[in-house]
Amino acid sequence: MCRIERIHAREVFDSRGMPTVEVEVTCAGSRPGRAIVPSGASTGKYESVELRDRDSPRLDGTGVARAVENVCGEIAAALKGADASDQQDIDRRLCDLDGTDNKRRLGANATLGVSLAAAYAAAEAQGISFVDHLNRVWRSVPGTVNPAMSLPLPMVNMISGGLHAGGNLDIQDVLILPVGAGSFRQAWEWVISVYRRLGRLLSDEGYEGHLVGDEGGYGPRLKNNEDGIRFVVSAIESAGLEPGEQVAIGLDVAASHFYRDGSYHLSKPTEANLTADAMIDLLDDWVARYPIVSIEDALGEDDWNGWKRLTDRLGSKVQLIGDDLFVTNRARLQRGVEEGVGNSILIKLNQAGTLWETLETMRLAIDRGYRPVISARSGETEDTTIADLAVATGAGQIKVGSAARSERLAKYNQLLRLEEQLDGRIEFVGSKVLGGF
Ligand code: PGA
Ligand code: ZN
């Protein structure tokens, strides 16, 4: 029993200078556990609600004073004396107290902050590492398939577009997956090499090879989306690595953001309004010509019919990840499973709003053969929870952003630390996690 004695919150700031919630939970006789909540820009319409002080002139209405008050007031009163090591109970109380289906009353930024800080406090109180505590919690979530703890394959942003880089490209991310690496450290060193070569290649061609987007990827104004893929393939080659065999390509299309009135409005190379089927043709063509193994949000969050046809066409060739589509929500994932839509799910803690609900969604995914990809948000902080989460659950993949900006590197550095500290206890998953892709 780790009895909660104190819960405190404050407003701090994320990597875009946006206010966010930091929470400290203290159990009797031990040091506080602390967590900071991240924040998205290309948010899905069905995510849990992030509470901001929209009606206040302070910080142009972006403040989170109300969410902070909810933690220090109502939530602190309700959770005082509760057992921080019983994550299910903590998170059930948070959901019951909120009383809505999407955390719109207390704010998912308030509930997630408390949920995660309680987990850190429980680890402190038990005198065990955070990753070991998370692994205990994970094993207590009902499910049948139980992956061992492992080091994830990183999916790393190289070129940023869409809402993360001022609309330079339609596609939000061109990413690399160092599938042929033998350890996390080697995977990471390959990533750094490719990232450096890419910056040079872009500069050599007259593009902005040093300006980066919200997640640290380069944000060049390329002529078209496909050029982004071409540049990344060249950078892999220029680093002396084999595209596909050693380093593969991933895309986050983030298509919800250019889907309007039944069609996909691409601005590059020329204004093109594509139907879902034309989008699928385009992606199928790219998959045939480039070493692409993973595509996220290829179609919009409401386009279930398009998604079904996409999965029938490409689902056996590549990983198809639902981010805005599934929003880490069990009911939406259940619909996906029943309708045969997608084969993988992006996992973002703040889309769900509590740790336990996030883990339940991951359990459903793994039991139904959907690969979970643990993900950061475009607005991040020094908080490294997702690195431990990916290891503790054996999720297999992690997506944090690029190889620059400390809010990204904080997570990769934590993975390097865990690789060293857990040497002999855990393995790097490498290409195994992608099966036949
Ligand atoms: P977001 O972007 O955090 O801005 O939503 C990340 C993603 O789309 O994967
Ligand atoms: Zn996404």
Side-chain angles (χ1 to χ4, degrees):
M1 165 89 183
C2 310
R3 199 168 50 78
I4 294 179
E5 225 168 49
R6 178 171 186 265
I7 299 183
H8 180 65
R10 64 177 66 87
E11 185 181 76
V12 295
F13 291 80
D14 74 15
S15 52
R16 282 190 284 244
M18 287 290 275
T20 190
V21 179
E22 172 171 274
V23 179
E24 285 169 5
V25 170
T26 313
C27 293
S30 84
R31 289 174 2 156
R34 187 175 73 198
I36 315 180
V37 176
S39 172
S42 74
T43 45
K45 164 157 116 189
Y46 302 101
E47 295 190 18
S48 295
V49 174
E50 178 184 78
L51 199 62
R52 294 204 180 267
D53 312 329
R54 305 222 182 274
D55 42 6
S56 156
R58 192 180 68 93
L59 294 163
D60 308 312
T62 63
V64 291
R66 266 202 300 148
V68 165
E69 263 168 47
N70 290 342
V71 175
C72 296
E74 239 185 283
I75 295 178
L79 291 189
K80 205 156 178 222
D83 180 0
S85 67
D86 186 345
Q87 194 71 44
Q88 183 176 19
D89 178 58
I90 297 289
D91 291 345
R92 191 182 290 141
R93 288 183 197 218
L94 287 168
C95 290
D96 290 350
L97 191 63
D98 173 73
T100 70
D101 58 355
N102 60 0
K103 317 278 190 304
R104 65 182 175 275
R105 197 177 76 77
L106 295 172
N109 41 356
T111 57
L112 181 65
V114 173
S115 178
L116 295 179
Y120 277 100
E124 282 287 344
Q126 296 168 98
I128 60 173
S129 68
F130 184 57
V131 76
D132 282 329
H133 173 63
L134 269 185
N135 181 253
R136 268 187 204 172
V137 174
W138 168 239
R139 282 189 282 112
S140 73
V141 182
T144 45
V145 184
N146 221 339
M149 282 216 269
S150 64
L151 283 151
L153 178 68
M155 185 187 286
V156 186
N157 176 285
M158 293 285 116
I159 291 187
S160 296
L163 296 176
H164 294 167
N168 56 333
L169 294 175
D170 304 300
I171 289 185
Q172 184 174 287
D173 300 340
V174 181
L175 309 111
I176 57 169
L177 296 83
V179 289
S183 66
F184 184 80
R185 178 167 287 276
Q186 183 177 40
W188 187 247
E189 289 180 9
W190 287 1
V191 166
I192 294 290
S193 304
V194 176
Y195 184 75
R196 288 182 186 166
R197 299 305 183 288
L198 178 60
R200 246 177 267 157
L201 287 176
L202 289 168
S203 298
D204 290 350
E205 298 281 321
Y207 292 106
E208 309 82 347
H210 55 285
L211 295 183
V212 302
D214 286 355
E215 298 193 348
Y218 300 111
R221 300 204 159 265
L222 301 176
K223 291 190 197 72
N224 59 54
N225 296 292
E226 195 178 335
D227 268 359
I229 306 173
R230 261 197 293 263
F231 264 111
V232 173
V233 172
S234 302
I236 296 169
E237 286 166 345
S238 146
L241 295 160
E242 182 70 33
E245 288 302 308
Q246 290 179 298
V247 180
I249 303 276
L251 302 176
D252 182 0
V253 180
S256 301
H257 301 282
F258 51 85
Y259 180 65
R260 285 186 308 280
D261 313 322
S263 59
Y264 293 88
H265 297 254
L266 291 171
S267 59
K268 304 254 181 173
T270 47
E271 298 296 327
N273 293 348
L274 302 186
T275 61
D277 290 317
M279 274 293 288
I280 298 169
D281 287 342
L282 177 71
L283 293 167
D284 198 3
D285 175 49
W286 287 351
V287 168
R289 290 189 295 114
Y290 299 103
I292 295 171
V293 292
S294 178
I295 307 176
E296 177 178 336
D297 282 353
L299 296 173
E301 61 210 337
D302 290 313
D303 194 357
W304 288 90
N305 293 331
W307 262 98
K308 172 70 181 144
R309 296 198 297 282
L310 168 82
T311 311
D312 291 344
R313 265 278 279 287
L314 290 178
S316 60
K317 295 189 210 165
V318 292
Q319 173 166 270
L320 295 171
I321 311 174
D323 171 12
D324 291 352
L325 180 73
F326 294 140
V327 291
T328 316
N329 178 292
R330 216 156 46 132
R332 287 185 71 88
L333 176 61
Q334 184 66 45
R335 178 173 174 189
V337 167
E338 278 160 19
E339 297 183 12
V341 160
N343 57 29
S344 174
I345 176 174
L346 207 71
I347 299 292
K348 291 170 167 168
L349 286 154
N350 75 329
Q351 286 182 331
T354 62
L355 175 58
W356 188 265
E357 288 166 284
T358 304
L359 296 176
E360 280 184 330
T361 302
M362 287 181 65
R363 276 279 184 221
L364 173 64
I366 291 172
D367 279 354
R368 297 311 173 91
Y370 278 56
R371 297 170 182 79
V373 180
I374 306 290
S375 174
R377 300 307 306 244
S378 52
E380 273 291 336
T381 68
E382 65 271 33
D383 185 286
T384 54
T385 305
I386 57 167
D388 292 78
L389 180 67
V391 171
T393 57
Q397 292 175 80
I398 191 166
K399 178 181 179 233
V400 177
S402 198
R405 301 185 53 138
S406 283
E407 78 280 4
R408 313 288 143 194
L409 275 295
K411 281 70 161 174
Y412 295 121
N413 288 340
Q414 174 69 357
L415 288 165
L416 290 169
R417 244 173 247 131
L418 289 170
E419 180 168 52
E420 184 199 285
Q421 289 165 357
L422 302 177
D423 184 32
R425 271 180 68 193
I426 60 170
E427 281 181 13
F428 173 63
V429 294
S431 62
K432 283 198 292 286
V433 67
L434 289 170
F437 299 149

